[in-house]
Every structure is written in structure tokens, then in C-alpha cells.
């Protein structure tokens, strides 16, 4: 199997990582549990496939990569005089064998719900909007565009020292394990893997707060659109929303200055990744699998470096929004 180096896998500790940063012996997560990487290789290909599903942005994939799919078919019902739709059993097919009518399968990420997480509400407010100011061995947080949440910030931890000046909030006395997640540029932000190990209610506290504080127009929990500059953070949110709300969000690349999406209008100053939840968009789910429609699958002539991964016992694992057979 093969992907470009910027494709994202999930390691067994629930950190999300680019394929190009993996090493031999790393354990990556799949629906049957962790998979041990036994072989990594790189090669340039002159032809690759460009794949895009209805719920995920497009990316490049090698023709021999086996992904979990299903197919649908129709049969005529004499009793109702109508055609009825049925799903075939799932199977792993190579990308070069896929028809546009195939359905790409993905399950909800299995989380342990065992641990705690310190102040997920504050983390949801800061992870996409705040930065660190390190001076004289002291760490101060500077947060912009969340001044209306000042009272919520104070209530989240009475030991915090919070000040507001114009539209900027300054926070001192934060000694949380996740504080250094803010010590990078916005396009490098990641959600701490400890949140993926936390109890469900703590994850939802983070999700609800993050969603409300990152949308200009928030209609309700399952109707919104938000932006982030970080690709990894966007994919992490894709899996977390699926886990919490039991339905797939829509994850897109956004290049336009203004984006209109049905009832939700919001401006975008830079290139972003957009995550939307729209009630009208119904995604087929059966038992524990979501079935994603393919919007585009084309073989293109484009020379690209492809990273190949092999795992012990050829177990399946997650890449982007796919289940891939190793």
C-alpha cells in the first residue's frame, strides 16, 4: 500500500502522525487493535490516484492500496413494484479496481474512556486561538477573539489569574499538562492524545466548547461550520465528532475568501480546513460502519513520492478516513 507523506495515521497511543514521520516498530491503530510496522519504504511513482469521498477532502493514493469498501445494488420487489437498495458484504479492494459507485467504509474510532483530562473546557477555548508568552521562566497565555468567554474561563478553574484588555485575554497560573500544545503556530496545532484516552463526558465538554468558540454562526450541536489551519487537528476533530455524535462530519479544504454552505455563512481569511455538521446530510450507517460515497477517483500522471507500509500479520489500520489492509 502507499500514500503521500502528509497522509495521517493514528498511533497506538492515539497520537496522529504523518506517514513520513513513522519508524520501523511503531504501532499504528486499526479496527482490530494496534499493528506493528515491519517495513517502510519510499519510491517515486509517475501515476497515482486522486481519491475524494463525500465527507473528506481529496488526497493521493497508490493504485495497489487495498481499502475496505462495500457496494450497493438494486433489486425489483414485485410486492411493492419498486426497486430496493441492498449492500454487499464488505471487502478489501485495490484502488485501481474501485468504481465510483463503491462505498468507502469507516468505523467510529474505538476509545477507552478510562482517564481524566484537566479542564477540557478551557482547552477547547484555547487550542485553536491562544499562544504562549514565555518570560522569566513564567508561562502566560494570550488568547484572542474569545473575550465573551471570560466568565467561563474564570469558572473553569478558580486558581487562574485572568485579565482582559480590549479583545485579548491574558491567563496566568496555568500548569496543565497540555499547556505546551499552544507553543507552536496555528497550522501545527494538535489535540493532545490524552484527550482521546479521557472519559466520554470530558471529550464532549471539549468538543462543545471548541465548536461554539470557533464558529461565527453556531446553530446547535449538530449544525455548524468551523475552520482551522491545522490539517492534523482537523482530522482529529473528524474522528472526535464521529465518536461523540455517531455521524460523519464533512471535512473540506477551503481556498475561497468567503464560503457559503447552505444556511451557514462565514468568512475565511486564509487557507483553512473546514469542518461542518449539517443535519440534512445523511450518511449511511449499518451496524458499526459508516459508508462514504466516492465523489472522485481518478488516475493522474503526477510524479510523487509514495510511502509504503507493511505491518505484522497484514492487519488493517487507519489512514486519513480509510481502513487500509497492511
Amino acid at each position: 500500500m502507499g500514500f503521500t507523506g502528509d497522509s495521517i495515521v493514528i498511533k497506538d497511543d492515539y497520537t496522529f502522525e504523518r506517514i513520513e514521520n513513522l519508524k520501523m516498530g511503531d504501532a499504528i491503530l486499526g479496527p482490530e487493535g494496534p499493528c506493528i510496522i515491519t517495513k517502510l519504504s519510499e519510491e517515486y511513482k509517475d501515476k497515482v490516484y486522486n481519491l475524494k469521498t463525500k465527507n473528506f477532502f481529496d488526497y493521493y493514493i497508490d493504485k495497489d492500496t487495498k481499502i475496505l469498501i462495500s457496494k450497493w445494488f438494486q433489486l425489483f420487489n414485485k410486492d411493492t413494484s419498486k426497486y430496493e437498495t441492498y449492500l454487499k458484504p464488505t471487502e478489501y479492494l485495490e484502488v485501481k479496481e474501485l468504481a465510483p459507485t463503491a462505498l468507502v467504509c469507516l468505523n467510529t474510532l474505538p476509545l477507552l474512556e478510562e482517564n481524566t483530562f484537566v479542564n477540557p473546557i478551557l482547552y477547547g477555548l484555547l487550542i485553536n486561538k491562544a499562544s504562549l508568552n514565555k518570560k522569566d521562566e513564567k508561562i502566560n497565555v494570550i488568547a484572542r477573539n474569545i473575550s465573551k468567554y471570560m466568565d467561563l474561563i474564570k469558572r473553569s478553574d478558580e486558581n487562574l489569574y485572568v485579565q482582559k484588555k480590549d479583545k485579548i485575554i491574558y491567563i496566568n497560573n496555568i500548569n496543565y499538562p497540555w499547556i505546551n500544545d499552544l507553543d507552536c503556530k496555528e497550522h501545527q496545532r494538535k489535540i493532545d492524545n490524552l484527550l482521546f484516552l479521557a472519559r466520554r463526558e470530558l471529550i464532549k465538554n471539549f468538543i462543545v466548547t471548541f465548536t461554539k468558540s470557533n464558529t461565527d454562526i453556531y446553530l446547535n450541536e449538530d449544525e455548524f461550520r468551523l475552520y482551522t489551519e491545522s490539517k492534523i487537528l482537523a482530522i482529529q476533530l473528524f474522528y472526535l465528532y464521529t465518536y461523540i455524535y455517531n455521524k460523519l462530519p464533512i471535512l473540506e479544504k477551503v481556498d475561497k475568501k468567503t464560503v457559503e454552505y447552505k444556511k451557514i455563512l462565514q468568512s475565511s481569511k486564509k487557507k483553512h480546513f473546514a469542518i461542518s455538521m449539517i443535519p440534512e446530510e445523511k450518511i449511511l450507517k449499518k451496524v458499526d460502519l459508516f459508508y462514504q460515497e466516492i465523489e472522485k477517483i481518478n488516475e493522474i500522471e503526477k510524479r510523487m513520492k509514495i510511502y509504503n507500509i507493511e505491518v505484522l500479520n497484514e492487519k488493517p489500520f487507519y489512514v486519513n478516513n480509510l481502513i487500509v489492509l497492511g
Side-chain angles (χ1 to χ4, degrees):
M1 54 74 64
F3 289 82
T4 52
D6 60 345
S7 297
I8 305 300
V9 298
I10 308 171
K11 299 180 76 172
D12 66 334
D13 64 352
Y14 288 88
T15 56
F16 285 60
E17 189 59 81
R18 293 164 66 101
I19 281 181
E20 64 188 4
N21 295 331
L22 294 175
K23 302 185 296 296
M24 288 275 291
D26 281 347
I28 54 180
L29 195 63
E32 298 177 10
C35 312
I36 307 299
I37 296 176
T38 57
K39 184 177 180 180
L40 286 168
S41 62
E42 307 168 13
E43 60 181 321
Y44 280 92
K45 296 287 184 76
D46 293 320
K47 290 183 179 181
V48 292
Y49 275 80
N50 185 227
L51 172 65
K52 185 188 185 310
T53 61
K54 184 177 180 179
N55 286 76
F56 208 86
F57 55 78
D58 67 313
Y59 48 85
Y60 298 104
I61 184 171
D62 189 33
K63 64 179 181 177
D64 299 322
T65 303
K66 291 184 178 181
I67 64 177
L68 186 65
I69 64 103
S70 181
K71 297 177 182 177
W72 61 273
F73 63 97
Q74 290 185 324
L75 292 177
F76 186 74
N77 188 325
K78 294 181 179 179
D79 295 331
T80 62
S81 297
K82 294 180 179 179
Y83 281 95
E84 296 182 358
T85 301
Y86 298 86
L87 282 174
K88 291 185 177 181
T90 59
E91 60 180 328
Y92 287 95
L93 278 187
E94 293 181 352
V95 170
K96 63 186 178 187
E97 301 175 309
L98 291 183
T101 54
L103 298 170
V104 175
C105 300
L106 183 69
N107 64 294
T108 302
L109 189 65
L111 300 183
L112 302 178
E113 300 186 23
E114 291 180 348
N115 300 321
T116 189
F117 188 88
V118 181
N119 207 337
I121 291 175
L122 184 61
Y123 191 54
L125 288 171
L126 299 183
I127 186 60
N128 209 37
K129 291 183 175 294
S131 58
L132 295 187
N133 179 27
K134 295 182 178 181
K135 186 177 181 180
D136 299 329
E137 297 184 356
K138 294 182 179 180
I139 299 178
N140 301 319
V141 172
I142 302 172
R144 294 174 173 82
N145 301 320
I146 56 170
S147 56
K148 65 181 179 180
Y149 295 101
M150 184 165 179
D151 289 341
L152 179 61
I153 292 172
K154 290 180 177 179
R155 291 198 304 271
S156 72
D157 186 343
E158 61 183 13
N159 294 315
L160 298 177
Y161 180 66
V162 185
Q163 290 180 302
K164 176 182 171 184
K165 185 177 181 182
D166 297 326
K167 294 184 179 181
I168 301 177
I169 290 179
Y170 300 88
I171 309 173
N172 296 336
N173 298 343
I174 296 184
N175 298 310
Y176 303 150
W178 50 258
I179 189 64
N180 285 318
D181 294 352
L182 309 180
D183 193 21
C184 60
K185 295 181 179 180
E186 287 184 31
H187 72 277
Q188 299 171 314
R189 296 292 166 92
K190 299 180 183 181
I191 296 172
D192 197 304
N193 69 308
L194 294 178
L195 184 68
F196 287 83
L197 304 174
R199 297 191 302 274
R200 184 184 183 89
E201 67 269 20
L202 299 177
I203 296 175
K204 186 167 185 180
N205 286 342
F206 166 83
I207 281 293
V208 171
T209 308
F210 181 93
T211 304
K212 289 182 177 179
S213 62
N214 281 280
T215 52
D216 288 342
I217 299 177
Y218 173 89
L219 302 179
N220 51 59
E221 280 190 27
D222 62 356
E223 192 164 6
F224 61 83
R225 182 182 180 89
L226 60 84
Y227 297 93
T228 176
E229 293 183 37
S230 169
K231 179 179 181 178
I232 288 185
L233 192 148
I235 294 176
Q236 289 175 310
L237 289 170
F238 177 85
Y239 278 95
L240 285 179
Y241 283 127
T242 302
Y243 173 74
I244 291 296
Y245 298 116
N246 197 29
K247 57 184 178 180
L248 291 184
I250 299 169
L251 180 52
E252 305 163 279
K253 293 175 185 174
V254 180
D255 296 306
K256 296 180 180 179
K257 292 290 183 182
T258 303
V259 177
E260 185 174 359
Y261 194 86
K262 295 190 176 180
K263 293 184 286 184
I264 300 175
L265 180 67
Q266 185 168 343
S267 63
S268 173
K269 296 180 181 178
K270 301 177 182 179
K271 181 176 180 179
H272 287 75
F273 292 93
I275 305 101
S276 306
M277 195 79 81
I278 307 294
E280 292 89 342
E281 295 290 335
K282 303 298 183 183
I283 306 300
L284 177 63
K285 185 181 183 186
K286 185 179 180 182
V287 190
D288 59 346
L289 284 178
F290 292 97
Y291 295 80
Q292 307 171 76
E293 295 180 30
I294 294 177
E295 281 194 357
K296 176 175 64 176
I297 179 165
N298 299 322
E299 186 178 29
I300 60 174
E301 293 187 5
K302 186 171 185 176
R303 187 167 176 78
M304 304 189 76
K305 182 189 282 189
I306 295 296
Y307 290 77
N308 299 300
I309 300 176
E310 293 182 21
V311 300
L312 189 65
N313 298 324
E314 297 185 350
K315 293 174 65 176
F317 55 91
Y318 303 111
V319 182
N320 292 337
N321 64 325
L322 306 176
I323 297 175
V324 175
L325 191 63

